[in-house]
Amino acid sequence: MRTFYTGSDIEDLAASGIRQLEVGPGVALTDAARQLAEELGIALVVPGAAPVSRATMPAAPAKSETLPARPRGCQHGPLSTSSNNGHSKANGGPVMDQLVQAASALKKQGG
């Protein structure tokens, strides 16, 4: 059975402190995984081959532009305070009003 690694898998390995990954015949990496392994300093090692030290590894080419870290969570900017139906998006609009009313009714019922 083959083992497949994606970019996300490589990020997880790097976060857990793994710095070397054996890539024998039963291992497949996506192109993104290979690139990310190089960027994160994870050495891809073929079993049976001589280990490569950092001193003998070729230096990575200089990048002209540094990419930002992988975004987490909500990425949009602030919502505008005006809308077409007269409700403010800052307070949630008509759907939020209905949800608040329904929650209040349930609370009054003891539910």
Side-chain angles (χ1 to χ4, degrees):
M1 183 166 84
R2 290 186 66 132
T3 303
F4 291 88
Y5 289 99
T6 64
S8 178
D9 296 322
I10 298 298
E11 284 181 332
D12 293 342
L13 290 172
S16 67
I18 302 295
R19 296 291 166 235
Q20 182 172 313
L21 180 64
E22 287 191 6
V23 289
V27 176
L29 282 85
T30 63
D31 290 338
R34 284 187 187 278
Q35 181 180 2
L36 200 53
E38 182 181 326
E39 290 173 10
L40 296 176
I42 296 178
L44 303 177
V45 179
V46 177
V52 178
S53 69
R54 282 237 182 244
T56 60
M57 288 179 67
K63 294 183 181 180
S64 61
E65 183 177 316
T66 303
L67 296 176
R70 183 175 177 190
R72 304 268 187 224
C74 183
Q75 298 298 309
H76 66 76
L79 298 173
S80 71
T81 56
S82 63
S83 69
N84 295 337
N85 59 10
H87 288 276
S88 169
K89 286 185 179 181
N91 68 9
V95 173
M96 184 58 79
D97 294 341
Q98 291 172 352
L99 287 171
V100 169
Q101 289 172 356
S104 297
L106 280 173
K107 186 175 181 182
K108 288 178 186 177
Q109 293 176 358

